[in-house]
């Protein structure tokens, strides 16, 4: 479903600010894989997401989605294949538009159904059904402006908008990090349900190690632009935060800089 071949990317090459953000990344995801990604600040996690979405083009290497080489395909053309939720709840939705208008916009992007923009009775029913799965009562607020929603509600809506068109790949970049713990927990739970319902191939960056352990069938640890640990299946199920920290120490010879890594 997704293949990343020998991808490297350096910012500000040959200047004093040179930063090797990605160094020879290889990664292959099967359909339905749910990969969680952890790693210290500046490890290259968001850069990897940006290379997959097409908002950055790697210096070296290729990105393949469904066996098609999309390395040079511009972001707007890739957007049909990719659903994305960012850390900022404001980033994924249009505040001055209503809930149903936001959903209609996301729906119109759908490659499979070629729908026109707009809301009709049938579509409104469908939106209600989708919103109902969030258990936030948003199905009764279809004509409310999204700007009036709380951060958690907006992030739940962003998640729905990124997923209900069943994209080939779902990218989540610390999408619960800006929320208070109870809302973050809710969005985490919804993420698990939605990914399972739609069988989405997913990459989720999180600084919350417990979340990375709880969700998904595979876990990747990044450091200094490299993938230093890649664990799947039963081996992942057997992981603990303590084991992860030990693994990091074994591989890198230093303690993990876990200032931002929420351990519990
Ligand atoms: N647009 C940019 N210009 C210059 N340097 C950048 C840019 N984006 C990211 N970087 C640098 O690249 C490295 C990786 O960044 P990033 O992928 O955002 O890390 P992470 O998401 O793992 O915290 C960091 O050192 C960061 O400062
Ligand atoms: Mg980041």
């Amino acid at each position: 479903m997704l293949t990343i071949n020998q991808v490297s990317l350096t910012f500000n090459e040959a200047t004093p600010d040179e930063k090797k953000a990605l160094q020879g990344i290889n990664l292959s995801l099967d359909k339905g894989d749910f990969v969680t990604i952890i790693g210290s600040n500046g490890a290259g996690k968001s850069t990897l997401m940006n290379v997959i979405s097409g908002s950055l083009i790697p210096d070296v290497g290729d990105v393949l989605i469904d066996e098609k080489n999309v390395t040079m395909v511009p972001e707007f053309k890739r957007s049909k294949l990719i659903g994305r939720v960012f850390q900022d709840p404001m980033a994924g939705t249009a505040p001055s538009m209503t809930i149903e208008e936001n959903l209609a916009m996301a729906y119109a992007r759908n490659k499979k159904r070629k729908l026109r923009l707009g809301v009709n009775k049938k579509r409104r029913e469908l939106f209600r059904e989708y919103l109902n799965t969030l258990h936030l009562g948003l199905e009764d607020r279809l004509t409310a402006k999204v700007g009036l929603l709380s951060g958690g509600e907006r992030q739940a809506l962003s998640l729905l908008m990124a997923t209900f068109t069943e994209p080939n790949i779902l990218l989540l970049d610390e999408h619960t990090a800006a929320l208070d713990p109870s809302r973050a927990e809710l969005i985490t739970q919804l993420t698990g349900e939605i990914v399972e319902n739609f069988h989405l191939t997913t990459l989720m960056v999180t600084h919350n190690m417990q979340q990375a352990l709880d969700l998904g069938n595979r876990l990747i640890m990044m450091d200094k632009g490299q993938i230093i640990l890649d664990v799947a299946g039963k081996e992942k199920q057997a992981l603990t935060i303590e084991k992860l920290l030990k693994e990091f120490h074994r591989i890198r010879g230093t303690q993990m800089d876990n200032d931002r890594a929420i351990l519990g």
Side-chain angles (χ1 to χ4, degrees), residues 4-207:
I4 296 166
N5 259 335
Q6 282 300 331
V7 162
S8 294
L9 190 149
T10 302
F11 290 110
N12 307 313
E13 188 149 24
T15 75
D17 295 328
E18 179 171 296
K19 188 81 218 176
K20 290 191 167 76
L22 296 176
Q23 306 192 60
I25 297 280
N26 289 305
L27 183 64
S28 189
L29 263 64
D30 292 328
K31 193 166 165 36
D33 267 348
F34 184 173
V35 180
T36 58
I37 305 181
I38 56 170
S40 46
N41 240 340
K45 306 179 298 295
S46 294
T47 305
L48 180 62
M49 295 280 165
N50 287 329
V51 163
I52 296 167
S53 73
S55 73
L56 287 172
I57 293 173
D59 305 328
V60 185
D62 293 305
V63 178
L64 285 81
I65 298 177
D66 247 352
E67 284 162 32
K68 186 174 172 277
N69 193 323
V70 296
T71 315
M72 295 299 172
V73 176
E75 184 169 28
F76 76 95
K77 283 198 179 158
R78 254 187 252 187
S79 66
K80 284 176 185 161
L81 306 174
I82 293 168
R84 206 170 179 193
V85 184
F86 297 90
Q87 181 170 340
D88 180 2
M90 305 300 149
T93 48
S96 62
M97 287 164 69
T98 65
I99 291 178
E100 64 181 9
E101 284 166 348
N102 270 273
L103 285 165
M105 207 168 51
Y107 220 75
R109 279 202 307 264
N110 189 345
K111 60 179 190 297
K112 285 163 196 145
R113 298 188 196 102
K114 290 238 170 27
L115 288 160
R116 276 169 291 119
L117 203 65
V119 183
N120 56 31
K121 196 165 167 240
K122 202 170 152 213
R123 188 133 1 134
R124 187 167 284 145
E125 269 320 301
L126 193 64
F127 290 167
R128 260 203 199 101
E129 276 174 38
Y130 280 124
L131 288 165
N132 201 21
T133 63
L134 301 177
H135 310 297
L136 291 171
L138 295 182
E139 62 277 11
D140 300 322
R141 299 169 67 190
L142 283 174
T143 56
K145 291 260 199 301
V146 165
L148 299 174
L149 303 182
S150 72
E153 287 167 341
R154 272 183 87 154
Q155 209 60 335
L157 185 62
S158 297
L159 190 60
L160 194 62
M161 285 167 60
T163 53
F164 77 155
T165 58
E166 299 179 36
N168 299 47
I169 296 168
L170 175 64
L171 302 176
L172 306 170
D173 194 351
E174 306 211 24
H175 71 306
T176 65
L179 305 174
D180 66 64
S182 68
R183 291 284 119 179
E185 181 51 44
L186 171 81
I187 298 297
T188 302
Q189 190 195 324
L190 284 173
T191 302
E193 285 171 15
I194 288 174
V195 169
E196 191 170 323
N197 275 349
F198 293 122
H199 307 289
L200 299 173
T201 308
T202 303
L203 278 168
M204 182 184 83
V205 174
T206 179
H207 65 269

Side-chain angles (χ1 to χ4, degrees), residues 251-263:
I251 297 161
R252 282 305 199 209
T254 57
Q255 296 292 339
M256 184 189 235
D257 161 23
N258 54 30
D259 291 355
R260 265 187 3 115
I262 301 170
L263 301 177

